[in-house]
Amino acid sequence: MTARRATSSWTRPHLEPFAAAVTGIGLVTAAGVGADAAWHGVCDPAAVPSVQQQPELEGLPCDFMYTVPGLDTRAVLGVATQRLMDRFAQLAVIAAREAVADAGLDPSVWDSGRVAVVIGSAHGGLPFYDQQHTALTERGARRVSPKLAPLTVVNGAASSVAMDLGVHGPSQAVSTACSSGTVAIGTAHQMLRSGACDIVVAGGAESVCSRLLIASACQMKAVSIRRDDPGAACRPFDTHRDGFVVGEGAGLLVMEHPEHARARGAVVRAHVAGYGASSDAHSAVAPDPDGLGIERALRTALADAGVGAGDIGHVNAHGTSTVANDLIEATMLHRVLGGHPLVTSTKARTGHALGAAGGIETALTVLALQRQLVPPTANLDAPDPGIPVEVVSKEARSAAFDCAVKTSLGFGGHNAALVLTK
């Protein structure tokens, strides 16, 4: 398809730089539950992530995934509440509670009409669909749950968080495949800039231990089939990478208008200063081979933040451990930012949490900025010589940087980038 050239003399409006304050973090991941535990699980070379064979996936070429360890959602949420949510929504609620508490906010006294929720998910409650399809085919229509729709819709996490926190402002779901969590945070940034709200709980949540989905991913050759060593299967930027490994989790931020955060004396962890998004318009499953779409998103985010390529000291890359994605993304990062930023992918510790990945990884980028420490890329034993950026491996690296970038790509050609600052 040939792109049409614009013929009008219209000039896009100039927006003054705006930096949303990040005042709270909630993390529920395979690397650990809670911000401190997840950070330790990502940074400590001796930490063992929770990745193992799953009974639901028995017999598939890839029968393993990353799961959240030791989390009893029934005990945390209560039996009655837990039954009204699919697992991805349960993880979102637990992460949201942590993020709100971390921000020092009390939902019983805040102006609930000025609080919003934006949560991304690629698949929603897909495992429950699997279960109910089995019930229908094996036991008949009368055995199908009446809760199928509310438990499986992609907006289930956003609506569950809004109800749990008593939020009366906008509540939205974002579903742009594996960029969903990043797009949700970018959307929150835009909402705060516009004055639509004062506080947004934003990020991503996903839990897809679905035999149907993983079987399809195997057919696409998108996932690793290194069944003899699941813990080493995900290896971003490594010569021997052979696909990603699915993970579950939730990563949410509390973002505030900076004046609102200042007025209440909030402790600000970092700022979301720039956001960019784009579409490849290339393929349903493969990224633009030249990385032009994600480049456009990144350049837009840099311009939105009012920073230059030389200001970026760290990138938490999408880095999925697939052959094409890692090379395309790294080549683009070098083209736009040069060779100086320290690049990492944390997916070998958390798994690829699909729609939640951007939320989890943005939260980890906030922590990296705060602690001036870049997490290592685990399992990077034989760096691909074609990767033109400096990828941190083996152990976390101390560094001084004021600006960081988070990039995300998704099926369908969805791209998103964030610029975060101290």
Side-chain angles (χ1 to χ4, degrees):
M1 181 179 294
T2 302
R4 295 182 179 179
R5 297 179 60 86
T7 57
S8 76
S9 59
W10 180 82
T11 302
R12 65 175 59 89
H14 172 73
L15 293 176
E16 292 299 321
F18 174 83
V22 178
T23 57
I25 290 175
L27 280 167
V28 180
T29 77
V33 177
D36 290 340
W39 179 255
H40 173 78
V42 164
C43 289
D44 184 358
V48 179
S50 178
V51 52
Q52 56 193 344
Q53 268 88 14
Q54 302 296 316
E56 298 92 334
L57 307 179
E58 184 179 357
L60 297 180
C62 177
D63 60 359
F64 54 94
M65 64 176 285
Y66 288 76
T67 57
V68 178
L71 179 62
D72 186 347
T73 59
R74 182 173 300 183
V76 175
L77 300 173
V79 175
T81 300
Q82 186 246 11
R83 284 177 176 171
L84 296 176
M85 306 176 200
D86 189 77
R87 184 169 170 83
F88 86 109
Q90 296 167 15
L91 301 182
V93 168
I94 293 169
R97 288 180 181 181
E98 181 197 359
V100 169
D102 182 49
L105 289 165
D106 182 352
S108 69
V109 298
W110 65 19
D111 183 353
S112 64
R114 298 289 299 167
V115 181
V117 175
V118 186
I119 299 179
S121 179
H123 296 285
L126 183 59
F128 194 64
Y129 266 116
D130 286 357
Q131 296 168 18
Q132 294 307 302
H133 181 264
T134 299
L136 175 64
T137 56
E138 294 182 358
R139 301 162 65 191
R142 293 179 63 85
R143 305 302 299 179
V144 173
S145 171
K147 298 185 292 184
L148 177 68
L151 264 67
T152 58
V153 287
V154 173
N155 70 296
S159 63
S160 294
V161 168
M163 287 187 282
D164 189 72
L165 297 177
V167 168
H168 291 98
S171 174
Q172 300 178 7
V174 170
S175 190
T176 53
C178 300
S179 68
S180 298
T182 304
V183 173
I185 292 169
T187 301
H189 177 263
Q190 293 175 330
M191 293 170 71
L192 291 165
R193 171 184 257 162
S194 74
C197 49
D198 301 323
I199 302 168
V200 190
V201 180
E206 198 85 84
S207 182
V208 287
C209 188
S210 163
R211 186 173 181 83
L212 181 63
L213 179 67
I214 304 302
S216 175
C218 291
Q219 290 294 96
M220 289 176 61
K221 302 188 185 307
V223 292
S224 174
I225 57 173
R226 198 176 270 109
R227 299 173 62 226
D228 58 329
D229 191 4
C234 181
R235 43 184 61 235
F237 306 115
D238 191 271
T239 298
H240 305 297
R241 64 189 184 275
D242 70 330
F244 64 82
V245 180
V246 173
E248 66 170 359
L252 298 181
L253 309 181
V254 169
M255 298 167 60
E256 299 184 50
H257 193 285
E259 295 301 326
H260 184 273
R262 188 175 300 116
R264 71 180 188 89
V267 175
V268 178
R269 285 183 174 268
H271 294 89
V272 176
Y275 168 58
S278 70
S279 300
D280 284 347
H282 169 73
S283 167
V285 295
D288 181 323
D290 296 317
L292 298 180
I294 186 60
E295 177 180 343
R296 185 177 297 107
L298 177 54
R299 292 191 185 279
T300 300
L302 293 170
D304 188 38
V307 301
D311 297 314
I312 305 302
H314 167 46
V315 178
N316 187 307
H318 192 55
T320 58
S321 184
T322 55
V323 175
N325 178 92
D326 288 6
L327 182 58
I328 291 169
E329 183 181 18
T331 302
M332 180 280 302
L333 289 173
H334 186 268
R335 186 166 64 239
V336 177
L337 302 177
H340 65 278
L342 297 176
V343 177
T344 194
S345 170
T346 48
K347 285 185 171 68
R349 293 294 190 181
T350 64
H352 188 355
L354 307 180
I360 292 169
E361 291 154 16
T362 301
L364 292 172
T365 307
V366 169
L367 294 172
L369 272 165
Q370 276 196 292
R371 304 183 187 201
Q372 296 289 276
L373 191 67
V374 176
T377 302
N379 299 331
L380 182 53
D381 300 323
D384 183 342
I387 298 294
V389 293
E390 185 173 1
V391 181
V392 176
S393 63
K394 305 302 182 185
E395 60 183 24
R397 190 182 305 181
S398 296
F401 55 100
D402 294 329
C403 299
V405 158
K406 171 69 202 125
T407 48
S408 293
L409 298 84
F411 280 173
H414 299 287
N415 307 293
L418 298 168
V419 174
L420 295 99
T421 60
K422 287 179 66 176

